[in-house]
Amino acid sequence: GVDFGALESGVSFGIHETSAGILDFTALATVTLGEANAAPRSPQVAINELHYHPVDAGDEFLELFNPGTLPANIGGWQVDGLADVFGQADYEFPVGTVVPPTGFLVLTRNDPTAFRTQHNVPASVPVLGPYGGALSNAGETVRLRKPLPRDPGVILVDRADYNDRAPWP
């Protein structure tokens, strides 16, 4: 069986083999009824980098990337997988949060101002936080979700499954 959530109107799910050789049921770029599946749909905003299990009490963070040419308004979107309660929305982006076109946003567990200063993050990159909980040092699934337009549910935008085993670096 396959477990999947809500989709935006006009989008379909299909099977896709990941770079790790795992079959995944994901949103497709186009509807391909009766044909070979299209490529996976590129997310509007993607989980680009995560830093878990920092050494010497370093900074834990999650970096998002907007591959598009327009700003992405992610106010009200949620990141989960940051605490011990599976499926709980652990961080909700404030109204008005925008990821610049072809740009980044950093979500830190620590104070955003201190993080920006310590890591010399450019002013053009939004740095938000702190978030509650923590990324598991052994691995877990982090999800970026956005609310459905007229429904109390959410749509999975992107997901990162990480752990300390190969092929994870």
Side-chain angles (χ1 to χ4, degrees):
V2 177
D3 182 23
F4 57 90
L7 272 177
E8 294 175 275
S9 181
V11 177
S12 67
F13 280 119
I15 295 174
H16 171 73
E17 186 173 350
T18 69
S19 60
I22 298 167
L23 292 180
D24 192 18
F25 202 62
T26 187
L28 300 177
T30 60
V31 177
T32 54
L33 184 62
E35 301 173 17
N37 286 347
R41 185 176 191 198
S42 294
Q44 182 182 6
V45 174
I47 298 170
N48 190 61
E49 182 178 349
L50 51 85
H51 187 223
Y52 72 101
H53 203 179
V55 294
D56 300 328
D59 291 327
E60 181 179 282
F61 67 88
L62 178 75
E63 180 185 75
L64 302 181
F65 174 65
N66 172 3
T69 57
L70 297 173
N73 183 341
I74 63 170
W77 290 26
Q78 305 165 346
V79 174
D80 70 15
L82 301 173
D84 296 331
V85 182
F86 180 78
Q88 176 182 339
D90 299 309
Y91 185 86
E92 183 171 318
F93 292 97
V95 172
T97 300
V98 173
V99 184
T102 64
F104 300 91
L105 177 145
V106 175
L107 178 60
T108 177
R109 184 176 177 201
N110 301 327
D111 174 67
T113 303
F115 183 93
R116 180 183 299 281
T117 301
Q118 182 178 359
H119 299 284
N120 199 26
V121 179
S124 62
V125 176
V127 178
L128 301 177
Y131 57 79
L135 293 166
S136 169
N137 290 341
E140 64 186 323
T141 299
V142 176
R143 293 176 181 85
L144 177 63
R145 301 176 188 259
K146 70 178 182 178
L148 283 165
R150 294 173 297 279
D151 189 292
V154 291
I155 296 171
L156 178 66
V157 175
D158 198 18
R159 176 186 81 217
D161 300 311
Y162 72 94
N163 60 52
D164 284 338
R165 299 180 312 272
W168 192 262

